[in-house]
Amino acid sequence: PWKDPIPLTRAWCLWEILSTMRVGSRLTVEMCPAEIDDFAQSLESEFETVESAVSHVDGRRAEGWKQKDVEMIKKAVVSELPDGFTELNKMISERLREWLYEQGKAAFDELEPNERVNSALSHNLTLLLHRQNKLDEAEALGRECLEMRQRQYKRMSMSDQPLVSKQGEEATHVNVFLTQNQLGRVLADKGEFAEAESYFKLAIDGLTKAQGE
């Protein structure tokens, strides 16, 4: 199950993932149909759980059917990687986070425009990039989502028909302010403090007014 991926606890699996990465081969993750559907839904509703599940790696505790194989692999990790298991865990976790972003972005791109406006995926993906310190990419996605939401809400304000997400939730302008706040955090970490402050002010003013409605 994706919530408790057994391969990440098996010594041979971790070694094979590491070997795949070291030679530059493609890494794919396979799931049964039922797990795929649950995983796809969780990308939006339980993103923190998904990220934790697919990126929690502890090679020191890895097991295997044959103890001698486990010992051999662990010795190889220590001898071949400068930082041993710390490096192994970091390398695999980072690659799986990249895979998670790829899956989430693909799911986001498949949404209809009206669904994207109120989708939590845009926030989740920007947050994931931010945590990976991919600040330029996080900024680009944050700006894209902000522009999209501002454009769609402008259209909504001119229509009597509300925007409704896939989950049946009515979109509100609050999402614009939350996106401004998130973009401000990314810009602050990039050292672009003046623009970050402007977004923080817009977010605070907007959320303050929204709470009074």
Side-chain angles (χ1 to χ4, degrees):
W2 69 260
K3 290 185 178 180
D4 186 21
I6 295 175
L8 297 184
T9 68
R10 311 301 292 180
W12 269 118
C13 291
L14 294 180
W15 182 255
E16 289 165 357
I17 293 173
L18 176 64
S19 299
T20 298
M21 295 168 57
R22 294 173 78 180
V23 299
S25 295
R26 181 183 178 188
L27 175 66
T28 61
V29 178
E30 301 294 333
M31 290 179 277
C32 67
E35 286 290 306
I36 291 175
D37 291 341
D38 185 46
F39 179 79
Q41 294 177 9
S42 298
L43 282 174
E44 183 152 355
S45 61
E46 298 181 71
F47 197 83
E48 295 278 353
T49 301
V50 177
E51 182 184 5
S52 176
V54 303
S55 62
H56 181 70
V57 180
D58 186 355
R60 293 183 182 85
R61 301 179 63 182
E63 301 175 343
W65 292 111
K66 296 182 179 180
Q67 186 58 32
K68 66 177 183 179
D69 287 352
V70 175
E71 293 173 357
M72 175 187 67
I73 291 170
K74 291 185 176 181
K75 286 180 180 179
V77 169
V78 173
S79 65
E80 294 189 24
L81 298 179
D83 293 325
F85 287 103
T86 299
E87 186 172 351
L88 170 75
N89 297 341
K90 182 179 179 181
M91 288 177 65
I92 295 179
S93 293
E94 288 180 352
R95 180 61 188 95
L96 289 174
R97 284 192 174 94
E98 291 174 359
W99 172 83
L100 177 58
Y101 174 79
E102 294 163 4
Q103 299 302 304
K105 189 62 166 61
F108 182 72
D109 290 341
E110 290 179 359
L111 295 175
E112 295 295 329
N114 284 2
E115 295 173 339
R116 292 185 188 181
V117 173
N118 208 34
S119 171
L121 267 176
S122 60
H123 170 83
N124 295 338
L125 293 173
T126 303
L127 180 61
L128 181 60
L129 290 171
H130 194 177
R131 287 174 174 169
Q132 292 176 294
N133 204 36
K134 297 182 178 180
L135 300 182
D136 289 341
E137 295 178 51
E139 178 188 353
L141 182 58
R143 290 188 186 279
E144 176 188 342
C145 293
L146 179 59
E147 180 182 354
M148 175 188 63
R149 285 180 167 172
Q150 288 175 325
R151 183 172 61 250
Q152 289 289 348
Y153 287 123
K154 184 176 181 180
R155 293 176 184 171
M156 184 180 68
S157 66
M158 300 171 64
S159 172
D160 294 331
Q161 298 297 321
L163 292 174
V164 179
S165 73
K166 215 170 188 178
Q167 289 71 36
E169 301 169 344
E170 183 175 334
T172 72
H173 53 289
V174 169
N175 283 336
V176 172
F177 309 138
L178 294 176
T179 306
Q180 289 169 335
N181 178 68
Q182 186 177 45
L183 182 56
R185 291 177 180 273
V186 173
L187 292 170
D189 280 354
K190 291 187 67 175
E192 299 175 15
F193 300 115
E195 188 175 11
E197 182 180 9
S198 68
Y199 278 116
F200 286 141
K201 287 181 178 178
L202 288 171
I204 291 172
D205 291 345
L207 290 170
T208 299
K209 291 178 181 178
Q211 289 178 348
E213 292 179 353

